[in-house]
């Protein structure tokens, strides 16, 4: 078995330097964020908005959100970085940096977002997906589900909620729901319509016996129900994030996931029960309708429409005034996210 | 007459505490039957305001217990004690005996204890420590000796030796022909897991390649809170992987995940020797080794804290690994650990001896055995009231007040001399005196 582990590590190291003393040193430096990437108001606002998905965790793949990147060349201190981004922030990143000028590092993005990668970037991009370590042949149908659901604009819609409802109905035992309402700091007092949260919640849980619990109470619930439970971090469109702290949290508590094991090639363990698979080739398809829509019709990432996106001003300290993306980009990104999901 | 047992409503987040509270509860019930006294239980919420504590106090007043025993680690009894003091203020002679079963967080909660010092002096109180070292620790902070030693009970019905289960377990994990070491409990920096892996690696390289190390328990990333050192979630797993790699232990170490009671019972029976090299400052007892012992499993344990009591009770079954200071840290001697593991291996598993030892072990740690030890505590009427905490305790509280994030951190960044003073006795084999 150790022979196989070494073989896999060698294979992984051919794609990116993940193991070894130098890699470990870079990872340790990466985790000392204040030494190379001080958190400013913009970071704080969006990290807080995305919480708990944005909680920091340790990984050899060095996860962060692209909005935290102040300069492209600052990433050169590391052989690779993983972007936890969803569609919106990744599109903004490539709009900010249409070319990887001066960058020598590799960036990992979620394989479902391959279609957003500009051609100019492809040599610098590797792709990841999350995977459990449980062999499909060992998998037993579970009775209970721990569901984390965030209510935020563009995170889901009626159609996705209906699909989720069908998933919930399959569980014969208990459904534990950990629900969050994600609101931007500085905009929380504004009179935005948040009824979608209650409408979606009502639609989702109607007639389903669900127990709402706090994230702090999850460990307690797991001690009674964990062995016979799956977990799901609900993220139908990968709009706000692709990699969530919560996936790792639930995996490390020993819950089964719907991210089934599909093979051990280029597999990097993150914990005793899960890891990530990395690959060089994503699923870029130049004939894809989404690809044509985005790159040809919209002129993404450097076309005229995208030049209208305001520059990022990191000197603003007022939470209300600091903003990373325009409403126009947010709406477009949601359209892209829906198309990507349809194509999957 | 009534004995009132107070515990938290719902299960604790700490697996060991779940078992401890449940077993203590059973011990009290058995004790009640044996001395013909009613034992009632009061379940209280995890967090209570002073108003809620007053309501609970009123409820207790109606019950008029002779003894109130706090058998859970959470919530801290401070608010209940305050409310009881107010309620019995005018009738001190009717005040019940307060019994506090102390878990590993006494030092951590020193400020709460300090806040009720005057209230505690009003009552006749009894601290119950789970081990000799813990009792000495508690007494070192009090003006009078207030601690009795009563181990946390282990369920005789859940943990015992079964040859049938042993065979089944060894087939299940394909370890029939191996000598099997076992660690159960939290996998954490606090538990010196890396040292355990290193010791096992030394054993395998020097001794026998057919050995396996089974490891069961949740991984956590609690680093060293007393030094203000935190670790990101996932950090421990990284170091675990690196250690397995460095010591060439892939395939020799089998991680079983977090097991339930039945699964633990199975692996205790299926193994040949339990090993823990923890020198965690809150290792005041050791529920995992206690459960292992209850199945007759020989143990190699660090000579530290609560583990030393196991060595005292069961000298033929428990082997202690010396602990030495490395700069400012207490760590088990790797060579000593290796020698003890080797010694157990040479002796080989003796199933008859193991089965015979269980009776003696249950007679000391079992629920029935503990219930007998509780009766004299509850009948202890004519003691002087609590004299209060001493200046050393005040100094301890000041550390926590001034540096709540790193109470024992020296200016140099390591452990302070005061930490060494508080826990200095924890590595001495002598359970009565402090000399090594």
């Amino acid at each position: 078995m150790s022979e196989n582990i070494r073989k896999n590590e060698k294979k992984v190291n051919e794609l990116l330097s993940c193991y070894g003393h130098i890699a470990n040193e870079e990872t340790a430096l990466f985790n000392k964020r204040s030494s190379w990437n001080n958190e400013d108001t913009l970071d704080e606002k969006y990290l807080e908005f995305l919480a708990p998905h944005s909680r920091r965790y340790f990984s050899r793949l060095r996860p962060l959100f692209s909005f935290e990147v102040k300069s492209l060349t600052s990433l050169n201190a590391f052989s690779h970085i993983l972007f936890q981004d969803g569609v919106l922030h990744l599109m903004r990143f490539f709009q900010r940096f249409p070319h990887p000028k001066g960058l020598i590092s590799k960036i990992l993005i979620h394989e479902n977002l391959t279609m957003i990668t500009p051609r100019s970037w492809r040599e610098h991009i590797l792709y990841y997906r999350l995977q459990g370590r449980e062999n499909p042949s060992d998998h037993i149908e579970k009775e209970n589900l721990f569901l984390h659901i965030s209510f935020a604009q563009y995170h889901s819609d009626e159609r996705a909620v209906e699909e989720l409802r069908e998933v919930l109905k399959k569980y014969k035992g208990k459904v534990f729901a950990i629900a969050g309402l994600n609101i931007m700091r500085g905009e929380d007092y504004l009179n935005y319509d948040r009824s979608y949260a209650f409408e979606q919640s009502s639609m989702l849980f109607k007639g389903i016996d669900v127990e709402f619990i706090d994230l702090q109470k999850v460990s307690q619930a797991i001690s009674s129900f964990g062995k016979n439970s799956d977990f799901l971090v609900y993220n139908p469109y990968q709009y706000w994030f692709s990699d969530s702290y919560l996936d790792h949290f639930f995996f490390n508590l020993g819950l089964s996931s719907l991210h089934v094991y599909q093979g051990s090639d280029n597999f990097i363990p993150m914990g005793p029960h899960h890891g990530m698979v990395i690959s060089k080739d994503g699923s870029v398809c130049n004939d894809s309708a989404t690809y044509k829509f985005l790159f040809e019709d919209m002129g993404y990432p450097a076309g005229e429409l995208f030049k209208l996106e305001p520059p990022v001003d990191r000197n603003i300290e007022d939470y209300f005034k600091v903003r990373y993306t325009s409403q126009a980009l947010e709406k477009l990104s949601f359209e892209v996210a829906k198309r990507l999901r349809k194509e999957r | 007459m009534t004995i009132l047992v107070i515990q938290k409503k719902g299960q604790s987040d700490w697996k060991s505490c779940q078992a401890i509270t449940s077993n203590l509860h059973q011990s009290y019930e058995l004790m009640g039957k044996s001395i013909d006294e009613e034992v009632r239980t009061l379940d209280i919420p995890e967090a209570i305001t002073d108003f809620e504590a007053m309501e609970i106090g009123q409820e207790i007043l109606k019950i008029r217990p002779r003894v109130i025993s706090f058998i859970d680690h959470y919530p801290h009894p401070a608010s209940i004690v305050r409310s009881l003091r107010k309620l019995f203020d005018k009738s001190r002679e009717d005040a019940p005996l307060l019994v506090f079963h102390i878990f590993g967080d006494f030092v951590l909660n020193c400020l709460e204890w300090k806040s009720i010092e005057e209230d505690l002096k009003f009552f006749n109180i009894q601290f119950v420590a789970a081990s000799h070292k813990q009792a000495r620790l508690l007494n070192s902070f009090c003006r009078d000796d207030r601690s009795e030693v009563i181990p946390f009970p282990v369920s005789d019905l859940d943990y015992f030796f079964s040859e049938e289960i042993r065979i089944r377990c060894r087939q299940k994990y394909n370890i029939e022909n191996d000598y099997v070491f076992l660690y159960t409990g939290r996998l954490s920096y606090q538990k010196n897991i890396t040292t355990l892996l290193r010791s096992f690696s030394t054993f395998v390289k020097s001794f026998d390649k057919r050995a396996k190390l089974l490891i069961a328990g949740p991984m956590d990333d609690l680093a060293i809170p007393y030094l203000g050192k935190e670790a990101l979630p996932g950090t421990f797993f990284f170091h675990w992987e690196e250690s397995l790699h460095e010591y060439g232990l892939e395939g020799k170490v089998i991680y079983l995940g977090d097991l339930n009671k039945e699964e633990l019972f199975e692996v205790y029976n299926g193994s040949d020797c339990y090993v823990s090299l923890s020198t965690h400052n809150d290792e005041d007892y050791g529920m995992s080794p206690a459960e292992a012992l209850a199945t007759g499993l020989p143990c190699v344990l660090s000579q530290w804290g609560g583990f030393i009591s196991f060595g005292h009770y069961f000298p033929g079954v428990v082997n202690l690994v010396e602990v030495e200071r490395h700069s400012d840290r207490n760590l088990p001697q790797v060579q000593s650990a290796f020698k003890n593991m080797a010694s157990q291996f040479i002796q080989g598993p003796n199933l008859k001896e193991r089965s015979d030892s269980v009776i003696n072990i249950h007679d000391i740690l079992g629920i029935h055995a503990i219930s007998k030890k509780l009766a004299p505590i509850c009948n202890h009427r004519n003691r002087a009231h609590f004299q209060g905490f001493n200046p050393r305790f005040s100094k301890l509280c000041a550390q926590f007040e001034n540096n709540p994030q790193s109470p024992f951190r020296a200016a140099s960044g390591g452990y302070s001399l005061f930490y060494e003073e508080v826990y200095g006795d924890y590595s001495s084999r002598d359970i009565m005196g402090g000399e090594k």
Side-chain angles (χ1 to χ4, degrees), chain A residues 120-185:
Chain A
S120 56
W121 271 90
R122 285 185 200 166
E123 282 305 304
H124 283 270
I125 303 289
L126 293 169
Y127 303 94
Y128 70 87
R129 72 162 187 274
L130 195 63
Q131 184 172 284
R133 291 174 90 161
E134 186 189 20
N135 223 310
S137 59
D138 296 334
H139 184 72
I140 307 164
E141 288 299 316
K142 299 296 193 310
E143 282 197 359
N144 311 304
L145 177 71
F146 284 80
L147 168 74
H148 185 280
I149 180 160
S150 293
F151 292 103
Q153 203 180 19
Y154 302 126
H155 184 66
S156 65
D157 58 10
E158 273 185 22
R159 185 182 167 166
V161 166
E162 267 171 28
E163 288 172 7
L164 177 60
R165 197 175 148 72
E166 293 308 308
V167 171
L168 297 190
K169 281 184 195 171
K170 288 181 190 160
Y171 287 90
K172 308 273 180 283
K174 287 181 86 80
V175 171
F176 293 96
I178 307 110
L181 184 63
N182 294 61
I183 301 173
M184 292 268 183
R185 195 201 289 198

Side-chain angles (χ1 to χ4, degrees), chain B residues 336-386:
Chain B
S336 174
F338 156 68
K339 279 182 190 164
N340 276 287
M341 289 165 81
S343 165
Q344 285 301 309
F345 171 77
I346 290 167
Q347 288 175 50
N350 184 327
L351 301 187
K352 177 156 187 333
E353 218 171 81
R354 183 171 173 177
S355 179
D356 291 344
S357 73
V358 166
I359 300 168
N360 176 45
I361 292 167
H362 283 185
D363 277 347
I364 294 174
L365 300 183
I367 288 176
H368 280 84
I370 300 304
S371 73
K372 289 177 192 158
K373 294 184 171 101
L374 289 173
I377 298 284
C378 293
N379 286 332
H380 210 149
R381 290 173 190 276
N382 295 321
R383 291 188 69 145
H385 286 91
F386 182 54

Side-chain angles (χ1 to χ4, degrees), chain A residues 297-339:
Chain A
D297 298 347
M298 293 288 133
Y300 169 82
E304 288 307 312
L305 287 172
F306 292 92
K307 283 188 175 128
L308 296 173
E309 195 68 13
V312 179
D313 186 348
R314 302 200 86 110
N315 293 317
I316 299 174
E317 291 190 359
D318 186 331
Y319 287 108
F320 178 62
K321 290 182 181 155
V322 74
R323 201 137 182 102
Y324 187 61
T325 49
S326 66
Q327 280 190 6
L329 183 64
E330 286 165 14
K331 279 186 180 168
L332 172 66
S333 299
F334 188 49
E335 183 58 37
V336 169
K338 283 193 294 188
R339 285 172 185 244

Side-chain angles (χ1 to χ4, degrees), chain A residues 51-63:
Chain A
H53 305 286
S54 55
R55 276 194 203 165
R56 302 254 187 251
Y57 69 92
F58 183 101
S59 162
R60 292 179 193 273
L61 297 177
R62 304 160 196 163

